[in-house]
Amino acid sequence: MNSDSLVPDQTDHPGEAIAVVAAGAVPWRVAPGDKDKVEVLLIHRPRYDDWSWPKGKIDPGETVPECAAREVDEEIGLKAPLGIPLPAIHYHVPVGLKVVHYWAVNVDGAILVPDGKEVDSVMWCSPERAAGLLSNPGDVAPLEHLADAHARGELKTWPLVIVRHAKAKPRSSWSKAEGDRPLAATGLRQAQAVGRLLQVWKPLRIVSSPWLRCVATIAPYAKASEAKVKLNEALTEHRHGRHPHRTAAAVEGLFDKQRAVALCTHRPALPTVFAQLGKHMGSRLRALLPDADPFLAPGEIVVCHVAHHSKDKVVAVERFRPFDD
């Protein structure tokens, strides 16, 4: 699989409606004593007497990534950012077709605490051994994708998240300074949803336009996480209109520290933002970036996973719209 390949669709049931949506993760670590090898964590579920990955059904009001992060926390006590997306699997249950979305998650030395009820035992093992122990043959697909990514040096990544600010009050009803135009009531709810979704990747720094509607969009997450916020005039609509190259430079600067980061800006700046990000990925991933107005809906995000070993190579792209009531 090429480094810029998309996550393959594993469904053998095209056109069939999804009855159950679930999500989970494949926990992994560098093998003790051998940094060139990777190990994965299998969980044993006494209810089913099977070996599987941490996973569970989506709750009302959750996005799929939030579900995956919550299930990993509940089942093995791991609070860690999701890594690269892995292939979803599809299979039939009594109520119909079920889909389980998967991500890689780096345990990175954390102490795991299985909940005892849902999970009574865990086992670290090689991908080869895990493939033979998994009770559901379909669970091998995300495992193989993870192992391939490790072999390419594209498993350990950090997230670069692009956020379009939440819905603001209409321009037509605002007579004061454009930079002071606030979020609408819907936008305030979207900002809360953005805050919950960003917890999935846990960026500890945020770069934002200083205009109020951007600052208010990232405020719930910043307050909950104590992330450091840097305001950059190059991300405003006006500065982008005059000097788009400075907006591009602000995006390029996100790669410098190789640490999880979120950027919040305005719709008119998004073409420049995505064009700059596109320079760091292959053509197949670049095709996943929004390329037509409005590029993102208010509060919508794009997540770029950047490989640690390469500093600035994006190896996976995802797009999510937070739950909006």
Side-chain angles (χ1 to χ4, degrees):
M1 186 175 291
N2 295 329
S3 61
D4 63 349
S5 291
L6 311 184
V7 175
D9 185 1
Q10 298 296 311
T11 183
D12 294 320
H13 315 279
E16 185 173 349
I18 301 296
V20 180
V21 177
V26 180
W28 67 274
R29 71 180 183 185
V30 174
D34 192 342
K35 65 179 181 180
D36 294 327
K37 293 185 179 180
V38 66
E39 292 182 337
V40 293
L41 185 84
L42 290 175
I43 65 168
H44 183 262
R45 303 184 299 173
R47 179 181 177 185
Y48 304 101
D49 189 23
D50 69 354
W51 289 96
S52 183
W53 311 119
K55 64 178 183 287
K57 290 189 291 186
I58 193 168
D59 282 346
E62 266 188 332
T63 59
V64 176
E66 288 174 84
C67 174
R70 175 181 54 78
E71 289 290 340
V72 169
D73 182 16
E74 291 178 355
E75 294 195 348
I76 60 173
L78 178 63
K79 299 180 184 293
L82 296 186
I84 60 171
L86 303 173
I89 67 168
H90 298 72
Y91 56 95
H92 283 102
V93 293
V95 296
L97 185 63
K98 179 176 181 177
V99 58
V100 185
H101 299 272
Y102 282 110
W103 283 263
V105 62
N106 186 359
V107 174
D108 196 24
I111 297 175
L112 304 180
V113 185
D115 75 348
K117 182 179 179 181
E118 296 287 336
V119 178
D120 64 353
S121 182
V122 299
M123 179 192 304
W124 284 107
C125 57
S126 68
E128 293 78 15
R129 187 179 182 200
L133 291 172
L134 285 166
S135 300
N136 183 350
D139 280 340
V140 175
L143 171 65
E144 291 178 340
H145 193 90
L146 182 149
D148 289 345
H150 175 71
R152 297 191 303 266
E154 297 177 358
L155 178 57
K156 187 176 182 180
T157 59
W158 56 271
L160 189 162
V161 185
I162 304 300
V163 184
R164 179 184 170 185
H165 69 71
K167 184 174 179 60
K169 288 189 175 182
R171 295 177 195 268
S172 59
S173 64
W174 187 253
S175 59
K176 300 179 183 178
E178 180 63 15
D180 294 333
R181 183 155 60 94
L183 295 181
T186 298
L188 292 172
R189 294 193 295 271
Q190 287 175 339
Q192 294 292 331
V194 168
R196 293 190 297 269
L197 186 53
L198 287 178
Q199 292 285 353
V200 170
W201 297 281
K202 305 184 187 306
L204 291 180
R205 60 187 182 119
I206 301 172
V207 181
S208 174
S209 159
W211 286 9
L212 179 59
R213 51 192 180 272
C214 283
V215 174
T217 297
I218 53 92
Y221 174 76
K223 291 177 181 177
S225 66
E226 298 183 353
K228 294 182 179 179
V229 178
K230 179 180 179 180
L231 303 180
N232 190 331
E233 288 285 347
L235 298 176
T236 65
E237 288 187 31
H238 288 175
R239 191 63 60 89
H240 171 263
R242 295 194 207 88
H243 307 288
H245 65 282
R246 294 183 182 175
T247 306
V251 175
E252 190 65 24
L254 301 178
F255 290 90
D256 290 346
K257 295 182 179 180
Q258 299 185 61
R259 289 190 290 117
V261 60
L263 178 147
C264 186
T265 189
H266 308 261
R267 178 190 56 79
L270 290 175
T272 297
V273 170
F274 291 132
Q276 190 64 31
L277 288 174
K279 297 177 181 180
H280 295 271
M281 62 188 74
S283 59
R284 296 186 69 189
L285 286 184
R286 199 154 50 238
L288 296 180
L289 295 174
D291 60 358
D293 195 34
F295 302 96
L296 295 176
E300 193 172 12
I301 73 171
V302 165
V303 184
C304 296
H305 298 269
V306 188
H308 267 283
H309 84 284
S310 69
K311 181 181 177 181
D312 62 357
K313 182 181 180 182
V314 175
V315 297
V317 172
E318 303 180 275
R319 181 175 176 177
F320 300 104
R321 188 169 183 172
F323 174 78
D324 184 5
D325 60 357

